[in-house]
Amino acid sequence: QAPQAYYYLGAIAEEQGENQRAMQWYSKVTEGDHWIEVQIRMARLEAQAGEVKAARERLRNVRLAHPTEAQRLYLVEGEILFRIDLKVEAYQLYTDYLVSQPNDTEILYARALLAENLDRLEAAESDFRRVLAIDPDNTRSLNALGYTLADRTDRFEEALIYVEQAYAQSPDDPAIIDSMGWVMYRLGRYQEARDYLQRAYEMTRDSEIAAHLGEVMWAMGDKDEARENTKKQKKR
């Protein structure tokens, strides 16, 4: 049970912010069920310490040793690069993977989100639509495409079609309820927007949803309530 013990000791040290000590424990795990998870954790710690090249090389070696885990490891590496603001590198990483696996909907979805963040809206829409061509009922892509169209373009009616499809599948998902509210707001249907956003906010107390709700309140002329909503968020 030594490898398992080393893994948990490393995790405890990491939780306590003792990253160097965590690395020492993790490095003792050379086999067992936790080996891949340990390599991922070590790569994250290396990236946080500025050792990006070492982190990426570690993940590449794990992919070579465990090709069946490639998708997961590419997603992890992309997330790491995103978190340290190497978004273009993350986008290229996903693009390289998709050369050999063009129908991988998880990577396509991740690249679409990244493209939207990079203001590459045409590329984002293309990837979302590619996912939906492969999996027409993909709820996440329906919602993300609809929200992106509502938030970043003036194609509000088209956005509503996608978000309504997502909502029909997952009517209790707060992210989708938020999207419904935001589309309604962009369409000028303020009361409906407020109802959806209020419901989503009460489910999550999420600051981004609160910001959407505050914007709708302001547009409806409830400026005092909008200000109070903002104050509550600052206190949280």
Side-chain angles (χ1 to χ4, degrees):
Q1 301 296 313
Q4 187 175 10
Y6 294 145
Y7 167 73
Y8 285 116
L9 287 166
I12 291 169
E14 187 178 350
E15 180 69 23
Q16 294 174 339
E18 299 179 8
N19 291 351
Q20 186 174 355
R21 189 175 181 186
M23 288 289 285
Q24 291 172 350
W25 285 119
Y26 288 149
S27 65
K28 294 177 180 291
V29 181
T30 57
E31 60 181 359
D33 296 338
H34 294 294
W35 185 79
I36 293 178
E37 177 63 25
V38 161
Q39 298 305 307
I40 290 171
R41 284 174 173 259
M42 292 178 77
R44 287 193 174 119
L45 291 175
E46 286 171 335
Q48 288 173 20
E51 300 171 14
V52 180
K53 185 176 180 180
R56 300 192 70 179
E57 182 65 18
R58 180 182 299 280
L59 292 172
R60 188 183 76 85
N61 289 334
V62 180
R63 288 199 300 268
L64 292 173
H66 296 270
T68 58
E69 295 286 334
Q71 182 203 71
R72 176 191 177 196
L73 292 163
Y74 271 97
L75 288 169
V76 166
E77 187 172 347
E79 175 207 344
I80 288 172
L81 293 171
F82 180 86
R83 287 181 179 275
I84 57 176
D85 206 29
L86 293 176
K87 299 172 186 177
V88 173
E89 288 82 351
Y91 188 89
Q92 187 59 51
L93 175 77
Y94 293 149
T95 299
D96 292 342
Y97 174 85
L98 288 166
V99 170
S100 60
Q101 302 291 334
N103 294 329
D104 189 314
T105 56
E106 288 293 324
I107 301 293
L108 281 166
Y109 178 77
R111 189 174 71 168
L113 294 178
L114 193 53
E116 190 276 334
N117 191 271
L118 288 166
D119 292 325
R120 301 178 182 180
L121 297 184
E122 289 185 8
E125 182 177 348
S126 177
D127 280 346
F128 285 136
R129 291 190 183 281
R130 177 62 181 158
V131 172
L132 293 173
I134 298 167
D135 178 11
D137 295 323
N138 189 292
T139 308
R140 291 187 307 169
S141 289
L142 287 167
N143 182 57
L145 176 56
Y147 180 84
T148 300
L149 292 176
D151 193 53
R152 305 295 297 276
T153 78
D154 58 1
R155 294 152 60 188
F156 308 140
E157 294 289 350
E158 186 180 354
L160 180 59
I161 292 171
Y162 293 112
V163 177
E164 282 182 332
Q165 289 180 55
Y167 185 76
Q169 294 180 36
S170 300
D172 296 320
D173 185 325
I176 296 174
I177 298 169
D178 173 57
S179 294
M180 282 291 291
W182 196 242
V183 174
M184 292 299 176
Y185 168 65
R186 298 286 273 171
L187 285 166
R189 295 159 61 174
Y190 293 158
Q191 187 58 56
E192 290 171 273
R194 185 168 182 167
D195 291 344
Y196 279 116
L197 291 169
Q198 186 69 50
R199 180 181 162 205
Y201 177 68
E202 288 173 359
M203 293 170 72
T204 64
R205 302 292 172 178
D206 180 82
S207 59
E208 185 174 346
I209 296 174
H212 287 167
L213 179 59
E215 191 161 340
V216 173
M217 290 174 175
W218 191 273
M220 294 178 74
D222 295 333
K223 296 183 178 180
D224 289 341
E225 197 166 353
R227 291 191 189 97
E228 186 63 28
N229 181 67
T230 301
K231 290 178 182 178
K232 288 179 181 178
Q233 291 310 303
K234 288 181 178 179
K235 291 178 181 179
R236 291 180 67 85

